[in-house]
Amino acid sequence: MTDPASAPTKRTPLYDLHVALGARIVPFAGYDMPVQYPTGILTEHQWTRTEAGLFDVSHMGQCFLIGPDHATAARALETLIPADILNLKPGQQRYSQFLNEDGGVLDDIMVTRSALPEEDGTLMVVVNAGCKEQDFAHLAKYLPNPIKLILAPHRALLALQGPKAASVLARFAPEVATMPFMTALSTKIDGVPVHISRSGYSGEDGYEISIHENKVRGLADRLLKESEVKPIGLGARDSLRLEAGLCLYGHELDLTTSPVEAAIQWSIQKRRREEGGFPGYERVKRELAEGPKRKRVGIKPEGRAPAREGTEIHDEAGNKIGVVTSGGFGPTLNGPCAMGYVDLAHAQIGTHVSLIVRGTAMPAEITTMPFVPNRFYRG
Amino acid sequence: MGNTHYTKDHEYVRVDGDVATFGITDYAQSQLGDVVFVEVPKVGTHLKQGAEAAVVESVKAASEVYAPVSGEVIEANSALEGAPATVNEDPEGKGWFGKIKLSNQSELAALMNEADYKAYLSTL
């Protein structure tokens, strides 16, 4: 076994840019990544909510599944995930999960059907950095013939997020202005091929831009010259997604949590619920019918003290009913917020609970998510 | 500032007679980043040198603040509850955490003076 702490960390193609911008670099999922720039997490967070933030997410895993036609490729991927891929339109994107036989989550992913007619049968999959090696091995092992798995380690990924993202990016690629949330297209910026999806991880409107590693620095520099754009680190990425109520693998999702427990059953479309044909279907079907034992909920502490990951959640009688999986301070909310799992009986919105912070029971309430309204562009 | 002393955990303590005002240093706040919550010590608590005295939280994490000296907490800076960013803006001034009535003056000898603390920072 290699000690992960002593393994050499990798760098994205933008590492030198992060250093030049004064970023504080931390190890994350095997990479040296910027956690924040000199202005700090609060400023970066607020900037993304009001302007446009540029995130380097090149550490994430990108790959393509290539089949003879869309139906063949879609049906192959559907054997591993519970989303309806068959009925994806060209250029449409969907969130899903690799599940194990017990219905636990191996990773959460984004799947896009190529918009180009000449690429019929091509699916692009983006996976988490920390899971990518095992995800790719999983795909290689289980994808049936004749589906080819093409890894794309030389593709970098930028996210441009925030209410000004559309007007900024449209200066370089006008067609992005009107593309709806969860769609994608291929185009060129300054003559360089890019694959752009209207999606992200901040709760704001925005894009993810896949581009060759040799070209990403040029694009990042161009975008950062725009007055609305500032670089944003992993710290604000985490506080933004927490306020947006979005799951983070290894926290809200792991091998024990099912999509129904995680309250992401919206990502399992009707046809798949009825037909099954994915790992863990028995559990998913049962939990959809009977309710899961526990459920992911939003938690709003009444006071100012944040409740961090691992904080016990108690009912009003003092019995442990769950645990916080992500918690901290929401800069836009201007107060603490958390997500966690609680027994189904205590998952109702408005339920009063206690969070055990440093030995003291702090009052809190089960609340709706997102904590800050999503502002996606639906067209 | 001959009456200010520092710990290796980046707390400072400024002594005026038998009263010691303590908080975290400018270096500590710069390492923490934006402070979003402070749990100041409770007045009347008897602290032992090195014991947990307060908690300071950034967006990312919670950190404990240890008592630089032993004694009774006679005042807490409750203004930090509503304005935690004061710790970033003026850590060794308005961002103080609490005042301790010294129970053992000799403990100060084990702390660093300003020159020693600067030298210590240069090794980090």
Side-chain angles (χ1 to χ4, degrees), chain A residues 35-54:
Chain A
V35 66
Q36 65 168 84
Y37 298 89
T39 50
I41 295 173
L42 285 183
T43 305
E44 291 171 28
H45 179 111
Q46 300 291 18
W47 187 267
T48 307
R49 289 262 184 261
T50 53
E51 300 282 331
L54 185 67

Side-chain angles (χ1 to χ4, degrees), chain A residues 16 18 21 25 39 43 76 85 103 163 174 180 190 233 269 272 287 294 306 335 365 370-371:
Chain A
D16 291 344
H18 302 315
L21 290 167
I25 303 289
T39 50
T43 305
I85 301 303
D190 295 337
Q269 286 75 25
R272 303 306 312 279
E287 290 181 347
R294 58 176 180 168
E365 192 176 306
F371 296 101

Side-chain angles (χ1 to χ4, degrees), chain B:
Chain B
M1 295 274 280
N3 59 348
T4 305
H5 309 264
Y6 299 86
T7 72
K8 286 193 170 179
D9 295 320
H10 309 287
E11 293 97 9
Y12 69 85
V13 57
R14 190 160 48 247
V15 180
D16 182 8
D18 64 351
V19 175
T21 302
F22 79 98
I24 65 169
T25 65
D26 187 58
Y27 174 84
Q29 72 78 21
S30 74
Q31 289 296 304
L32 282 171
D34 298 308
V35 172
V36 296
F37 177 78
V38 179
E39 189 175 293
V40 293
K42 282 196 177 67
V43 172
T45 309
H46 288 267
L47 292 172
K48 280 204 120 154
Q49 188 177 36
E52 187 184 319
V55 175
V56 57
E57 302 210 20
S58 67
V59 181
K60 282 207 76 72
S63 306
E64 288 159 353
V65 177
Y66 303 103
V69 290
S70 303
E72 181 184 351
V73 178
I74 56 169
E75 200 177 337
N77 188 4
S78 52
L80 294 183
E81 286 164 17
T86 310
V87 176
N88 295 117
E89 292 152 8
D90 191 12
E92 298 180 39
K94 287 180 185 155
W96 60 279
F97 281 35
K99 294 186 181 185
I100 296 172
K101 188 166 189 206
L102 286 172
S103 61
N104 183 358
Q105 290 266 359
S106 68
E107 286 174 351
L108 295 170
L111 304 179
M112 289 175 274
N113 63 27
E114 189 173 355
D116 291 343
Y117 181 63
K118 277 189 177 157
Y120 171 63
L121 288 183
S122 70
T123 67
L124 300 180

